[in-house]
Amino acid sequence: GQQLNQSPQSMFIQEGEDVSMNCTSSSIFNTWLWYKQDPGEGPVLLIALYKAGELTSNGRLTAQFGITRKDSFLNISASIPSDVGIYFCAGPPKRNGGGADGLTFGKGTHLIIQP
Amino acid sequence: DTGVSQDPRHKITKRGQNVTFRCDPISEHNRLYWYRQTLGQGPEFLTYFQNEAQLEKSRLLSDRFSAERPKGSFSTLEIQRTEQGDSAMYLCASSLVSNSYEQYFGPGTRLTVT
């Protein structure tokens, strides 16, 4: 099936630093989503991207839909302690030749902020 | 709070027992999804409903799993004859039909099978 590969697997950064992470696929996705999950909670939708090349911001977060449609990037500027968590990319894979509504998720990037 | 709610938040059961989880979606959302998440992995899609109709099931949804959404509002997920491999977080999400990829998740039910 279509898999999403997230990099890096984990990041140790200092408070105030900028963060960059990415998500790649061997096949095309027409929508990219970024979620954040805190321990013991469900994922929270951060940003949705619908067009190749699109750049969308949500506060200190900025995400881009790659031109090839096989990748997406998430940047966090001036990180703060509450940014700690696991960041997942997700998208709707093609199933049975068409689109599908159940999302495929990557394995996540674990962000750890050192005081 | 008008978000997605799930009950119970935690469930410990012995192997072989049946368990049932409940999900209440955001009230105006007519699509409801179930996912399973194991440690170190992202959520994996199980099934989804549009109103009361179950429209898609993943191959992860074995015969021991059944989901219902009888009146198009809340949904239940039942696992019969639980196995240790069923231990996971079970997540429910909901969305509008018009924007089905923007799915909003509940807090999940953590199942532990001993």
Side-chain angles (χ1 to χ4, degrees), chain B residues 89-102:
Chain B
M89 174 83 95
Y90 289 85
L91 293 161
C92 174
S94 69
S95 76
L96 295 169
V97 173
S98 59
N99 204 350
S100 60
Y101 300 141
E102 292 186 19

Side-chain angles (χ1 to χ4, degrees), chain A residues 4-80:
Chain A
L4 296 177
N5 301 304
Q6 289 191 244
S7 177
Q9 196 171 353
S10 57
M11 301 181 76
F12 294 79
I13 64 165
Q14 303 277 347
E15 184 177 348
E17 284 184 7
D18 295 344
V19 172
S20 291
M21 60 188 79
N22 68 64
C23 182
T24 60
S25 171
S26 57
S27 51
I28 287 171
F29 276 71
N30 292 317
T31 299
W32 290 92
L33 303 138
W34 285 92
Y35 284 85
K36 177 178 183 264
Q37 187 174 29
D38 292 331
E41 298 296 328
V44 173
L45 180 62
L46 299 173
I47 293 177
L49 301 158
Y50 293 100
K51 232 161 101 167
E54 180 183 354
L55 194 69
T56 297
S57 293
N58 177 6
R60 292 178 298 105
L61 277 60
T62 301
Q64 184 164 22
F65 192 140
I67 288 289
T68 65
R69 297 201 282 160
K70 291 183 178 181
D71 54 12
S72 179
F73 308 89
L74 178 69
N75 296 313
I76 305 172
S77 61
S79 57
I80 60 177

Side-chain angles (χ1 to χ4, degrees), chain B residues 17-35:
Chain B
Q17 298 293 305
N18 299 343
V19 294
T20 300
F21 312 139
R22 177 180 170 125
C23 170
D24 287 88
I26 293 170
S27 58
E28 60 267 29
H29 285 182
N30 39 18
R31 286 211 172 159
L32 185 151
Y33 308 79
W34 286 99
Y35 290 81

Side-chain angles (χ1 to χ4, degrees), chain B residues 71-99:
Chain B
K71 295 182 181 175
S73 56
F74 73 91
S75 174
T76 58
L77 178 68
E78 182 184 16
I79 309 174
Q80 296 183 325
R81 304 181 304 281
T82 51
E83 301 172 356
Q84 286 190 316
D86 297 332
S87 295
M89 174 83 95
Y90 289 85
L91 293 161
C92 174
S94 69
S95 76
L96 295 169
V97 173
S98 59
N99 204 350

